[in-house]
Amino acid sequence: MSDKTDHNQSKRRPHHRRKPPAAASKKRSAPRRLKPGSDPKLKNIFSTIGVPEQAPFSPDPFQRQALEAIREADCIVTAPTGSGKTWIAEQVIERMLEQGRKTWYASPLKALSNAMYESFSRLFGDENTGILTGDRKENPGAPVIIGTTEILRNQLYDSMYSGEDLDTDFVILDEAHFLGDRERGVVWEEVMIYLPRRIPLLLLSATIGNPGEIAGWLQAIRDKQCEVVRETKRPVELYPLILHPSGTLFPLLSGHGKPGRPGMYKKTLNFIQAKNKPRLAPPHRLPPMNDILRILRKYNLLPAIFFMKSRADCDKALALCDDHALQQNPERKQALADRVDKIVTNIPYLAEHKQLGYIKNRAVAAHHSGHLPLWKKCVEILMNEGYLDAVFATSTVAAGVNFPARTVVILNSDRFNGKEFLPLSPIEFHQMTGRAGRRGKDNIGFALLLPGKFMDVRHIVKLTGSTPSHINSQIKINFSMTLNLLLGHSPSQVRELLKHSFALYQHTKANPDETDAETAVEEGYLWHEFLRHLEFLQETGYADENGQLTEEGGWASKLRVDHPVMIAEGFRRELFPSADPALLAAIIASFVNERQTDDNVNVRKNASKRLKSAFNHIKNQLTPFTKHMRQKGFLPSDLYLAPALTIYQWAAGYPWDRVAAEADIEEGDLANLVFRTSDNLRHIANLYDIFPDAARSATEAIGLIMKEPVV
């Protein structure tokens, strides 16, 4: 679930094209207030709401089973969100520390890595804990390292090249379902392929539908047993509801139906089948959030996470909430204000945040990738500590962030994947509803559907009875992988490595009667792609005719970025402004751009002659190289001046608000551009022996852009 594209989520799929709104009348009638009510069947369900009795902790059977299994074998643990998978990791780490051995804990998100670093530092001590995320590098020699999976993969590249073993004795891969992620799954697969067999592997995930298949693959390539520990029972029971537009809560399910195919509650079915059913809100408008919060408050269903379709809707929803609850409870309002002040006291920028008033006065907040990481962290703290009634978030918050509530409210049965709107998958639905019900704080959790144009209730009913989706290999060959594999392997050795791919294993398993020739065709696809990349490297002088990297290919392999050969070519031709840190950061930003699709007149107008000259020089000089890439079927990055101007202004000391305003970019997107630019600059800084001037400038440039309020 990528954060990269949810700023586009206001676009709908073609068959849901919206008609232009009718001309507004001069007098708009006041919206009808919802009258809180609940179906009689819910009386017993609501009576179970409350905090469970506190009891001494006792591990669940699946937790004990996992700890026993990992003593002798690799292990895959798949269990619902909040069931205690992290406790297993903590016990493993403690066991390793007692033995004087090291553990590597990898997660997909920097935010999650930071949160685990804080947690593990408290548990195991600052001196025993380190973090490596690209943005942070603290105590890298510690016996417990937390970091992103990309950093772990890069360390495996380094160890294969140097011939030295990876400096750890145990690897934990959290959120292991990312193996099936379209964009980043290749990194997870690479880690599993390259990891030395001596190092035990523990995979943790809430949403793997085919753990046995993954275990079979790991056994085949690592020549050791891989145990599967599966828990299907949620730690907190989930009860699905639907809100009738009158304001009455109904059960979603009847409790009848075939196994895995639950039936719909009769009154709910009658409602969705009605021809002229009432609406919660007019077209193109949000539901009456204030009334919905009042209903949830009456039936003790708060706090709640509202999953919205777009960032804009998250922000708009705040204005639809009133301050009634806090006005009725001045002590709570004061406690909230004091806690907020304590959090932001050392971050002046957050103290002036335009949405801070909604938190202090209404106990609601928005949380999405358009916000600064520091702001999102503030919201997460307040929600986890029980200060907020509601958070309005995009579905990206469902994956990997510890962010539970008593109720999750779902407004749409589809989700924007970056290109189009598609129905929610079982993985996405289970991740969203996995936030409903807080272990140790709730006896029961709720998922509330809000009916509307983009809510297919029948689809949600099917998802409630669905099993997690199967994960398929997403491995693909790119230039970074090709360069790094050639660092320590001959082409024939690379071919043997590619035979270990999950893709080939799945293909062979799915086609047991296939002839050897047909299997060879599938096996040959990855090999063909590798050869295609190798041929281009040979044509451009980064590899020789024997498939070995040249000196230039050697240092290019250290550029573990999205477009290594383009940036390498720029350095080889001495095109980068190596003596000017701010200008270097600006030009690198044009290579990491994900958002810009054109350069408008204002961009050309606001950019200095120096910046335009440097940008035009590198773009024009690289044109023959990028043309060659396209002729060979590769997709080089399109370079735009706009992101370069944005980073140049930020590096030059322009105020954050001004930079964001002139770029017409949300703070979260601007922060992401800064982070990605900084990541690329760090790799350039590693080329000190080859390009000392550029390396020094890259290091200085990082300091110019990695500053408050980004960090």
Side-chain angles (χ1 to χ4, degrees), residues 476-508:
K476 51 184 176 289
I477 307 297
N478 54 41
F479 279 113
S480 183
M481 181 194 295
T482 303
L483 286 164
N484 279 280
L485 286 178
L486 289 173
L487 260 180
H489 302 82
S490 66
S492 61
Q493 290 172 324
V494 171
R495 184 172 191 175
E496 291 303 309
L497 272 179
L498 294 179
K499 288 181 180 179
H500 291 170
S501 72
F502 187 38
L504 181 59
Y505 179 85
Q506 286 189 304
H507 178 83
T508 304

Side-chain angles (χ1 to χ4, degrees), residues 620-635:
N620 293 336
Q621 291 298 311
L622 283 179
T623 295
F625 187 80
T626 56
K627 183 178 180 181
H628 184 194
M629 291 185 72
R630 288 190 175 91
Q631 288 172 342
K632 293 296 182 178
F634 301 109
L635 296 176

Side-chain angles (χ1 to χ4, degrees), residues 14-303:
H15 60 280
H16 275 167
R17 295 190 186 280
R18 297 179 175 182
K19 297 178 181 179
S25 59
K26 292 184 179 180
K27 290 186 178 180
R28 185 187 297 270
S29 58
R32 177 174 54 86
R33 298 289 296 272
L34 304 186
K35 183 179 179 180
S38 68
D39 187 82
K41 185 180 178 181
L42 293 175
K43 184 176 181 180
N44 289 337
I45 299 297
F46 287 165
S47 69
T48 65
I49 293 174
V51 179
E53 292 185 12
Q54 299 301 306
F57 174 77
S58 177
D60 290 336
F62 87 91
Q63 293 172 314
R64 291 193 293 267
Q65 183 185 350
L67 288 180
E68 190 61 32
I70 203 65
R71 290 181 182 274
E72 304 293 337
D74 293 336
C75 185
I76 299 174
V77 179
T78 173
T81 298
S83 58
K85 295 184 294 296
T86 301
W87 181 86
I88 299 171
E90 292 169 357
Q91 298 305 302
V92 168
I93 293 171
E94 185 172 334
R95 182 189 297 172
M96 297 299 290
L97 285 172
E98 290 173 353
Q99 298 172 2
R101 302 167 75 192
K102 297 184 176 182
T103 307
W104 225 108
Y105 181 100
S107 84
L109 305 172
K110 291 179 181 178
L112 182 57
S113 296
N114 287 327
M116 297 311 299
Y117 173 65
E118 294 173 10
S119 176
F120 287 172
S121 293
R122 290 191 295 269
L123 282 173
F124 308 119
D126 293 337
E127 70 282 3
N128 289 323
T129 314
I131 184 169
L132 297 171
T133 64
D135 299 333
R136 296 180 72 180
K137 182 179 181 180
E138 299 181 25
N139 203 9
V144 181
I145 293 295
I146 300 95
T148 55
T149 316
E150 281 81 359
I151 297 293
L152 175 57
R153 189 272 314 270
N154 291 345
Q155 288 193 351
L156 286 166
Y157 278 152
D158 290 336
S159 67
M160 288 191 295
Y161 170 60
S162 66
E164 299 177 359
D165 211 350
L166 184 70
D167 187 22
T168 194
D169 303 295
F170 201 104
V171 166
I172 301 170
L173 294 182
D174 200 359
E175 304 292 337
H177 59 273
F178 266 77
L179 175 64
D181 185 82
R182 184 175 56 183
E183 298 297 326
R184 299 174 63 198
V186 58
V187 178
W188 269 252
E189 190 161 340
E190 283 189 272
V191 167
M192 296 179 205
I193 292 173
Y194 306 153
L195 189 69
R197 294 174 183 175
R198 73 164 184 88
I199 302 175
L201 180 61
L202 172 62
L203 275 61
L204 304 174
S205 177
T207 47
I208 291 180
N210 54 335
E213 184 179 36
I214 298 171
W217 166 59
L218 288 173
Q219 287 179 183
I221 66 172
R222 286 171 54 79
D223 195 27
K224 63 187 298 187
Q225 185 71 16
C226 182
E227 298 286 347
V228 173
V229 176
R230 189 197 300 259
E231 174 60 77
T232 57
K233 183 180 179 182
R234 286 175 53 101
V236 179
E237 180 188 355
L238 177 72
Y239 195 91
L241 303 167
I242 187 169
L243 179 65
H244 189 276
S246 65
T248 300
L249 295 168
F250 288 124
L252 178 66
L253 308 177
S254 66
H256 304 291
K258 299 179 181 179
R261 297 178 60 185
M264 199 181 305
Y265 188 58
K266 185 176 180 180
K267 292 180 183 178
T268 300
L269 182 61
N270 291 339
F271 162 62
I272 68 167
Q273 288 179 336
K275 290 184 178 180
N276 297 312
K277 52 180 171 284
R279 297 172 174 172
L280 266 179
H284 313 291
R285 293 178 64 184
L286 292 176
M289 295 301 180
N290 197 47
D291 285 352
I292 294 170
L293 285 175
R294 187 175 290 109
I295 294 168
L296 294 177
R297 187 174 293 113
K298 176 177 179 178
Y299 294 103
N300 201 17
L301 298 175
L302 295 176

Side-chain angles (χ1 to χ4, degrees), residues 45 74 326 351 360 374 416 565 587 589 592 605 622 682 686:
I45 299 297
D74 293 336
L326 289 184
K360 285 188 170 184
L374 288 173
F416 189 69
V565 292
I587 299 303
V592 306
K605 177 182 176 182
L622 283 179
R682 284 189 178 88
N686 290 334

Side-chain angles (χ1 to χ4, degrees), residues 555-566:
W555 58 255
S557 69
K558 296 182 180 180
L559 295 169
R560 290 161 184 163
V561 295
D562 290 338
H563 304 286
V565 292
M566 283 186 66

